[in-house]
Amino acid sequence: MHTGTRFSMRSGAVAALGALLLTGCGTPILRANFDTNTLGTHPPPELPGDPVGDSFYLSSPSSGSAVVVAAPAGLSGRSLRYQHTAPQSYSRFLGFGGKEVSASSLQYWAVWSAVPQLTPNVPLDIWMGNGHFESFGTIRLLNNQVLVATDNRGGFTPVGNFTNGRVHTVVVKVDKPSGTYRISVLGGDAPVNTGTRPVLTPAALSTTRAYVYLWFGSDGVSASTYTVDNVLITEACPTDRGVGACD
């Protein structure tokens, strides 16, 4: 089979998975698809549409590090392109915050689709946590590897691979009663899964507003981008069973 045909089929399969994830059983506490946002701008702090109360955070709005673009191949409509353009590391935080929920919530789930285009030796950290940047669980994309954080002191270990230019879907599950999380990256040559691991910051489990964060942590700037679409945070598994994300 021609390589382009394989890529087209794989992109279509991941896009279909993303659509299934977005129409599943979890009631959204955040939804962002950027289709109503103006090209070349970043979303407002209060995301439009339902659910009411979800939010978008950019630590340096004037940096140009996040702009709405026409979706690249494998995504649809409009997407958000996160870029490694802000020279100071503290200016590069990007976050999606769910609306406030009951402290008795038992789980948090997050899912989104994305196209990575990362230059060598530029790490992209991705985590789910609370509104103070504390992490339930963190992965890092670096040099075509997916790594999982082993502690809060900068320790990481590889768990699989990703491919630049290939759309993937990330699924995060946080189970509050057991204090554990799991992150899957679907859409590559082989699925990547961190396995069930202890939450990195147990105190963060008391939050009533869950966030997904992206952060380019390296010095300087580069051509690295991570284009995201269909970001969803829920309190229940956002998929029908059978696609592997809820197992």
Side-chain angles (χ1 to χ4, degrees):
M1 184 183 296
H2 190 273
T3 301
T5 303
R6 287 201 305 268
F7 178 78
S8 176
M9 291 176 64
R10 184 181 296 113
S11 297
V14 175
L17 172 60
L20 176 62
L21 291 166
L22 287 171
T23 57
C25 58
T27 301
I29 59 176
L30 175 139
R31 186 189 297 272
N33 67 10
F34 316 108
D35 288 345
T36 62
N37 295 117
T38 303
L39 292 172
T41 69
H42 60 76
E46 296 182 7
L47 290 170
D50 290 328
V52 175
D54 56 350
S55 62
F56 174 79
Y57 173 77
L58 192 60
S59 56
S60 181
S62 63
S63 66
S65 57
V67 294
V68 175
V69 297
L75 302 179
S76 62
R78 296 180 178 181
S79 302
L80 185 71
R81 185 174 64 205
Y82 177 51
Q83 307 172 95
H84 186 211
T85 57
Q88 294 85 18
S89 60
Y90 60 80
S91 298
R92 300 197 209 105
F93 290 99
L94 184 155
F96 298 97
K99 71 176 184 179
E100 190 166 4
V101 298
S102 169
S104 63
S105 175
L106 297 180
Q107 294 182 346
Y108 290 125
W109 289 79
V111 59
W112 63 92
S113 294
V115 177
Q117 287 285 6
L118 307 185
T119 55
N121 303 318
V122 174
L124 172 63
D125 287 358
I126 300 170
W127 70 97
M128 193 175 187
N130 64 8
H132 301 287
F133 305 103
E134 294 176 316
S135 173
F136 304 142
T138 299
I139 59 171
R140 172 174 288 178
L141 305 184
L142 175 63
N143 296 334
N144 298 111
Q145 284 192 310
V146 181
L147 305 101
V148 62
T150 55
D151 53 51
N152 280 321
R153 300 180 298 278
F156 285 85
T157 188
V159 290
N161 300 303
F162 74 94
T163 300
N164 273 330
R166 179 180 297 170
V167 62
H168 62 218
T169 296
V170 180
V171 183
V172 185
K173 175 189 177 183
V174 177
D175 186 73
K176 295 174 69 175
S178 64
T180 61
Y181 77 94
R182 183 181 74 234
I183 303 176
S184 301
V185 182
L186 310 174
D189 288 330
V192 177
N193 194 305
T194 63
T196 300
R197 308 176 67 92
V199 162
L200 293 173
T201 310
L205 291 170
S206 63
T207 188
T208 57
R209 195 181 294 273
Y211 274 75
V212 169
Y213 291 102
L214 306 177
W215 183 58
F216 285 115
S218 60
D219 294 333
V221 298
S222 74
S224 291
T225 64
Y226 189 71
T227 304
V228 299
D229 201 2
N230 291 329
V231 185
L232 182 71
I233 302 177
T234 73
E235 294 179 273
C237 180
T239 74
D240 294 326
R241 297 193 64 86
V243 299
C246 293
D247 296 339

